[in-house]
PDB file of all heavy atoms in Angstrom:
ATOM      1  N   PRO X1265     -10.890  16.851 -10.980  1.00 98.00           N
ATOM      2  CA  PRO X1265     -10.715  15.938 -12.108  1.00 98.00           C
ATOM      3  C   PRO X1265      -9.236  15.896 -12.512  1.00 98.00           C
ATOM      4  O   PRO X1265      -8.483  16.820 -12.197  1.00 98.00           O
ATOM      5  CB  PRO X1265     -11.549  16.584 -13.206  1.00 98.00           C
ATOM      6  CG  PRO X1265     -11.378  18.045 -12.956  1.00 98.00           C
ATOM      7  CD  PRO X1265     -11.350  18.174 -11.444  1.00 98.00           C
ATOM      8  N   PRO X1266      -8.816  14.882 -13.263  1.00 97.00           N
ATOM      9  CA  PRO X1266      -7.428  14.851 -13.712  1.00 97.00           C
ATOM     10  C   PRO X1266      -7.147  15.839 -14.851  1.00 97.00           C
ATOM     11  O   PRO X1266      -6.027  16.296 -15.012  1.00 97.00           O
ATOM     12  CB  PRO X1266      -7.229  13.413 -14.173  1.00 97.00           C
ATOM     13  CG  PRO X1266      -8.603  12.906 -14.467  1.00 97.00           C
ATOM     14  CD  PRO X1266      -9.538  13.661 -13.564  1.00 97.00           C
ATOM     15  N   THR X1267      -8.183  16.154 -15.612  1.00 98.00           N
ATOM     16  CA  THR X1267      -8.036  17.055 -16.755  1.00 98.00           C
ATOM     17  C   THR X1267      -8.980  18.240 -16.580  1.00 98.00           C
ATOM     18  O   THR X1267     -10.170  18.062 -16.320  1.00 98.00           O
ATOM     19  CB  THR X1267      -8.362  16.315 -18.066  1.00 98.00           C
ATOM     20  OG1 THR X1267      -7.501  15.171 -18.165  1.00 98.00           O
ATOM     21  CG2 THR X1267      -8.160  17.210 -19.271  1.00 98.00           C
ATOM     22  N   LEU X1268      -8.431  19.445 -16.730  1.00 98.00           N
ATOM     23  CA  LEU X1268      -9.247  20.656 -16.597  1.00 98.00           C
ATOM     24  C   LEU X1268     -10.115  20.890 -17.835  1.00 98.00           C
ATOM     25  O   LEU X1268      -9.686  20.657 -18.963  1.00 98.00           O
ATOM     26  CB  LEU X1268      -8.355  21.882 -16.414  1.00 98.00           C
ATOM     27  CG  LEU X1268      -7.581  21.991 -15.105  1.00 98.00           C
ATOM     28  CD1 LEU X1268      -6.708  23.242 -15.122  1.00 98.00           C
ATOM     29  CD2 LEU X1268      -8.518  22.021 -13.919  1.00 98.00           C
ATOM     30  N   LEU X1269     -11.308  21.352 -17.588  1.00 98.00           N
ATOM     31  CA  LEU X1269     -12.207  21.860 -18.623  1.00 98.00           C
ATOM     32  C   LEU X1269     -12.597  23.266 -18.203  1.00 98.00           C
ATOM     33  O   LEU X1269     -12.458  23.643 -17.030  1.00 98.00           O
ATOM     34  CB  LEU X1269     -13.450  20.970 -18.737  1.00 98.00           C
ATOM     35  CG  LEU X1269     -13.217  19.494 -19.060  1.00 98.00           C
ATOM     36  CD1 LEU X1269     -14.520  18.717 -18.953  1.00 98.00           C
ATOM     37  CD2 LEU X1269     -12.605  19.351 -20.448  1.00 98.00           C
ATOM     38  N   TRP X1270     -13.138  24.039 -19.118  1.00 98.00           N
ATOM     39  CA  TRP X1270     -13.523  25.407 -18.762  1.00 98.00           C
ATOM     40  C   TRP X1270     -14.574  25.431 -17.661  1.00 98.00           C
ATOM     41  O   TRP X1270     -14.650  26.386 -16.887  1.00 98.00           O
ATOM     42  CB  TRP X1270     -13.987  26.185 -19.996  1.00 98.00           C
ATOM     43  CG  TRP X1270     -12.829  26.567 -20.869  1.00 98.00           C
ATOM     44  CD1 TRP X1270     -12.613  26.188 -22.160  1.00 98.00           C
ATOM     45  CD2 TRP X1270     -11.717  27.385 -20.516  1.00 98.00           C
ATOM     46  NE1 TRP X1270     -11.433  26.720 -22.627  1.00 98.00           N
ATOM     47  CE2 TRP X1270     -10.866  27.467 -21.630  1.00 98.00           C
ATOM     48  CE3 TRP X1270     -11.345  28.063 -19.355  1.00 98.00           C
ATOM     49  CZ2 TRP X1270      -9.678  28.191 -21.635  1.00 98.00           C
ATOM     50  CZ3 TRP X1270     -10.157  28.789 -19.342  1.00 98.00           C
ATOM     51  CH2 TRP X1270      -9.345  28.849 -20.472  1.00 98.00           C
ATOM     52  N   VAL X1271     -15.374  24.399 -17.507  1.00 98.00           N
ATOM     53  CA  VAL X1271     -16.389  24.370 -16.447  1.00 98.00           C
ATOM     54  C   VAL X1271     -15.763  24.313 -15.057  1.00 98.00           C
ATOM     55  O   VAL X1271     -16.438  24.598 -14.064  1.00 98.00           O
ATOM     56  CB  VAL X1271     -17.389  23.201 -16.621  1.00 98.00           C
ATOM     57  CG1 VAL X1271     -18.164  23.331 -17.917  1.00 98.00           C
ATOM     58  CG2 VAL X1271     -16.694  21.858 -16.533  1.00 98.00           C
ATOM     59  N   HIS X1272     -14.486  23.979 -14.960  1.00 98.00           N
ATOM     60  CA  HIS X1272     -13.805  23.926 -13.667  1.00 98.00           C
ATOM     61  C   HIS X1272     -13.267  25.290 -13.234  1.00 98.00           C
ATOM     62  O   HIS X1272     -12.715  25.408 -12.136  1.00 98.00           O
ATOM     63  CB  HIS X1272     -12.658  22.908 -13.705  1.00 98.00           C
ATOM     64  CG  HIS X1272     -13.118  21.538 -14.045  1.00 98.00           C
ATOM     65  ND1 HIS X1272     -12.622  20.824 -15.112  1.00 98.00           N
ATOM     66  CD2 HIS X1272     -14.070  20.748 -13.484  1.00 98.00           C
ATOM     67  CE1 HIS X1272     -13.229  19.650 -15.177  1.00 98.00           C
ATOM     68  NE2 HIS X1272     -14.123  19.589 -14.207  1.00 98.00           N
ATOM     69  N   PHE X1273     -13.417  26.301 -14.077  1.00 98.00           N
ATOM     70  CA  PHE X1273     -12.925  27.647 -13.789  1.00 98.00           C
ATOM     71  C   PHE X1273     -14.059  28.520 -13.273  1.00 98.00           C
ATOM     72  O   PHE X1273     -15.181  28.445 -13.754  1.00 98.00           O
ATOM     73  CB  PHE X1273     -12.351  28.294 -15.056  1.00 98.00           C
ATOM     74  CG  PHE X1273     -11.017  27.752 -15.475  1.00 98.00           C
ATOM     75  CD1 PHE X1273     -10.913  26.493 -16.040  1.00 98.00           C
ATOM     76  CD2 PHE X1273      -9.874  28.501 -15.313  1.00 98.00           C
ATOM     77  CE1 PHE X1273      -9.688  25.976 -16.435  1.00 98.00           C
ATOM     78  CE2 PHE X1273      -8.637  28.004 -15.699  1.00 98.00           C
ATOM     79  CZ  PHE X1273      -8.542  26.743 -16.260  1.00 98.00           C
ATOM     80  N   THR X1274     -13.740  29.368 -12.326  1.00 98.00           N
ATOM     81  CA  THR X1274     -14.660  30.403 -11.878  1.00 98.00           C
ATOM     82  C   THR X1274     -14.399  31.637 -12.738  1.00 98.00           C
ATOM     83  O   THR X1274     -13.250  32.078 -12.862  1.00 98.00           O
ATOM     84  CB  THR X1274     -14.426  30.744 -10.393  1.00 98.00           C
ATOM     85  OG1 THR X1274     -14.633  29.564  -9.620  1.00 98.00           O
ATOM     86  CG2 THR X1274     -15.344  31.858  -9.923  1.00 98.00           C
ATOM     87  N   THR X1275     -15.450  32.176 -13.336  1.00 98.00           N
ATOM     88  CA  THR X1275     -15.310  33.372 -14.170  1.00 98.00           C
ATOM     89  C   THR X1275     -15.319  34.604 -13.281  1.00 98.00           C
ATOM     90  O   THR X1275     -16.171  34.751 -12.404  1.00 98.00           O
ATOM     91  CB  THR X1275     -16.454  33.449 -15.190  1.00 98.00           C
ATOM     92  OG1 THR X1275     -16.428  32.247 -15.984  1.00 98.00           O
ATOM     93  CG2 THR X1275     -16.321  34.662 -16.090  1.00 98.00           C
ATOM     94  N   VAL X1276     -14.339  35.487 -13.506  1.00 98.00           N
ATOM     95  CA  VAL X1276     -14.230  36.725 -12.732  1.00 98.00           C
ATOM     96  C   VAL X1276     -14.307  37.912 -13.681  1.00 98.00           C
ATOM     97  O   VAL X1276     -13.921  37.821 -14.840  1.00 98.00           O
ATOM     98  CB  VAL X1276     -12.935  36.756 -11.893  1.00 98.00           C
ATOM     99  CG1 VAL X1276     -12.933  35.653 -10.847  1.00 98.00           C
ATOM    100  CG2 VAL X1276     -11.702  36.652 -12.769  1.00 98.00           C
TER     101      VAL X1276
END
Side-chain angles (χ1 to χ4, degrees):
T1267 303
L1268 291 178
L1269 302 172
W1270 286 119
V1271 298
H1272 301 123
F1273 286 73
T1274 300
T1275 302
V1276 296

